[in-house]
Amino acid sequence: MASSPHTETPLPARPHVTGDLPGPRSAALLARQEQWESRARTYPRSLPVALTKGSGSFVQDVDGNVFIDFLAGAGALSLGHSHPEIVRSVALQLGCLTHGLDFPTPVKDAFTQAQLSMLAPNLRTRMKVHFCGPTGANAVEAAIKLCKTATGRGGVIAFHGGFHGSTHAAMAVSGLVSQKAPVPDGMPGVHFFPYGSLGPYPAGPACDSGPVECADYLNRALTDGLGGIPLPAAVIIEVVQGEGGVVIAHPEFLRRVRELTRALGVPLIVDEVQTGCGRTGTWFAFEQYGIEPDVVVVSKALTGIGIPAAILLYNTALDTWAPGAHIGTFRGNQLAFAAGVETIRIIRRDDVLGNVRRRGEQVASRLAELLSNPWVRDVRGRGLMWGIELDHPGNGRPAAQLAAAVQAHALRHGLIVERGGREDAVIRILPPFNVTADVIETACAILMDAIHVCSSQALARSGRGPSPR
């Protein structure tokens, strides 16, 4: 009897790619996808492989090629593919109860307490948990609705470069114009302000004001009687902008935004969909800034292996919803709860957050030499969330074609990375939190070689000569 994919030998702990990509089997499945699936699909357009198996930091395609996966479910696979202990916990729950709506269950209670236990003691005692639909965008929608209900106000303040999802309200508070442009008459009352980040500022039409000036501009707009913006229902912000290109908030900017919103009685929503549950080296990224949000949006990494789940953690003072005010069929996913409980147990037992910090330092050290490359504008990140921004040496514009070439070169050599930022000119990596030093070393070597080779080719085409290593 042929063995199933679940009983085959583990994937080799190194990348291995033979032949052209996509291979013949991947090409056949990609063609079927083109025929039958929505045009809205994204990842296989730039990463043309069809996957069949994953283990830890590695995936295998249907042609037998093995890749280091530093996309990792867009950050959802915080403990990698198919972590055996989480798989066992889910399998045990599968034979017990899979769906419970919002009825209390032992595993749901354990999940709730586990999530609250990860908060600082002074915050833990005044936060409630709301279970949303299964995606981060669902939770963003819920957060906006919660704040509007609690304040009786309608507007929302968001920031240039932010991304909060693709549903109606989440898209409305996101900065990605290309996504919202085809959808006329978006949610009214959304106002965008400059995001005060650590320098250097991203290439393209980003605000070049300092972080204090960005915060002061928001202050004036909300406190000036002629500022034109009524007091909003909420301010929503990412501590590290993920899809925006790993743009990191300046501490003084974020602290001033928190002080302003508190003084005005405006709830501060911190979107930790991508940064939460350990991605930046602390359980939540906002902890590194010494602030306390009113609402925290959490999703991707909640369950360790990508089982969908999303929650809000919010101040009890905002708990003004009537029964049934915000519901969703899959808010009772018992499998997600079992996985989430086990994930936190493993993270504590194995000092996974310590590994995130150590591996983040390793990434920073290895990629620092890229700053000598004239096509590399910046290398930035926190923990295991990193971006390499590429721009044209001549004019400073985002080097979108180079970024696409780097991504393709890395894939052919066994490394999956993502692109983001303005014009998709930032190479992004989101490794699993339990990635090893050896895998980081291998991945960085592949990525650095891809940038060197592709930027050298770009410079040769421009007649400027080869780039330095």
Side-chain angles (χ1 to χ4, degrees):
M1 180 184 294
S3 61
S4 75
H6 302 292
T7 58
E8 293 173 0
T9 56
L11 296 181
R14 51 177 168 62
H16 175 70
V17 179
T18 59
D20 295 331
L21 295 178
R25 291 187 177 90
S26 287
L29 282 176
L30 288 164
R32 288 178 61 80
Q33 185 180 50
E34 169 71 24
Q35 180 181 5
W36 298 111
E37 285 192 30
S38 158
R39 287 174 53 84
R41 67 195 184 281
T42 57
Y43 294 111
R45 295 184 185 278
S46 55
L47 297 164
V49 293
L51 303 179
T52 186
K53 185 177 180 181
S55 177
S57 296
F58 294 85
V59 290
Q60 186 177 64
D61 73 5
V62 292
D63 297 286
N65 298 307
V66 177
F67 306 88
I68 298 173
D69 183 8
F70 274 13
L71 174 59
L77 300 168
S78 56
L79 294 183
H81 291 271
S82 306
H83 191 290
E85 291 174 286
I86 302 177
V87 169
R88 282 196 294 271
S89 72
V90 172
L92 288 172
Q93 186 63 41
L94 189 63
C96 181
L97 179 69
T98 62
H99 190 291
L101 293 173
D102 59 0
F103 290 104
T105 68
V107 71
K108 182 181 183 182
D109 181 68
F111 177 87
T112 301
Q113 296 308 313
Q115 298 305 319
L116 291 172
S117 75
M118 300 302 286
L119 296 170
N122 60 324
L123 194 58
R124 181 186 313 158
T125 56
R126 49 191 170 83
M127 299 295 269
K128 281 199 168 185
V129 181
H130 178 79
F131 293 87
C132 312
T135 73
N138 297 147
V140 168
E141 299 270 348
I144 292 170
K145 183 175 174 181
L146 171 69
C147 292
K148 288 185 175 184
T149 302
T151 63
R153 300 190 292 262
V156 180
I157 300 295
F159 293 92
H160 300 306
F163 183 81
H164 303 284
S166 300
T167 54
H168 191 67
M171 181 175 65
V173 296
S174 295
L176 187 60
V177 175
S178 62
Q179 189 178 61
K180 64 178 73 178
V183 184
D185 302 324
M187 185 177 75
V190 179
H191 302 277
F192 285 88
F193 281 81
Y195 183 88
S197 68
L198 293 172
Y201 283 87
C207 174
D208 58 3
S209 299
V212 173
E213 288 78 11
C214 290
D216 287 348
Y217 178 42
L218 177 62
N219 190 339
R220 290 195 301 273
L222 294 184
T223 58
D224 183 356
L226 295 177
I229 301 176
L231 205 62
V235 171
I236 185 167
I237 194 168
E238 295 169 279
V239 176
V240 181
Q241 293 183 339
E243 303 304 315
V246 195
V247 182
I248 304 167
H250 193 285
E252 186 62 21
F253 167 73
L254 193 57
R255 283 195 290 266
R256 286 183 179 233
V257 170
R258 172 68 285 194
E259 290 168 1
L260 173 63
T261 53
R262 180 175 287 115
L264 296 178
V266 176
L268 178 64
I269 303 170
V270 172
D271 182 342
E272 294 261 7
V273 168
Q274 196 160 116
T275 52
C277 304
R279 171 62 60 186
T280 66
T282 52
W283 189 247
F284 289 123
F286 71 76
E287 298 172 43
Q288 300 174 34
Y289 289 75
I291 68 164
E292 293 183 353
D294 300 296
V295 184
V296 186
V297 183
V298 197
S299 182
K300 287 183 183 290
L302 275 172
T303 64
I305 58 171
I307 297 177
I311 61 172
L312 298 184
L313 298 165
Y314 65 89
N315 193 303
T316 56
L318 298 174
D319 195 26
T320 58
W321 272 338
H326 194 84
I327 57 177
T329 300
F330 295 105
R331 68 195 188 277
N333 184 347
Q334 309 297 300
L335 305 182
F337 301 152
V341 171
E342 186 68 2
T343 294
I344 287 179
R345 187 188 72 81
I346 293 167
I347 284 173
R348 283 181 163 143
R349 181 195 68 192
D350 297 346
D351 186 29
V352 170
L353 297 187
N355 189 66
V356 171
R357 293 189 290 270
R358 291 187 293 273
R359 300 289 72 77
E361 292 170 358
Q362 181 184 359
V363 171
S365 176
R366 288 291 285 117
L367 299 186
E369 65 184 78
L370 287 173
L371 292 170
S372 64
N373 186 310
W375 289 84
V376 176
R377 181 183 181 89
D378 194 20
V379 177
R380 54 182 178 258
R382 288 284 186 273
L384 286 174
M385 183 176 184
W386 285 83
I388 303 163
E389 185 169 9
L390 305 176
D391 70 3
H392 291 273
N395 57 28
R397 297 296 302 168
Q401 290 183 339
L402 174 60
V406 168
Q407 183 185 41
H409 187 284
L411 184 69
R412 289 195 300 272
H413 290 80
L415 174 65
I416 296 174
V417 296
E418 172 62 320
R419 289 181 289 138
R422 286 172 173 79
E423 300 184 31
D424 280 343
V426 178
I427 301 295
R428 300 185 57 216
I429 64 171
L430 294 165
F433 300 170
N434 53 357
V435 64
T436 66
D438 287 345
V439 172
I440 288 285
E441 177 63 31
T442 301
C444 286
I446 293 171
L447 183 54
M448 293 170 70
D449 182 67
I451 291 172
H452 171 67
V453 169
C454 295
S455 62
S456 294
Q457 293 170 347
L459 279 175
R461 287 193 298 269
S462 69
R464 295 167 59 93
S467 67
R469 281 194 180 271

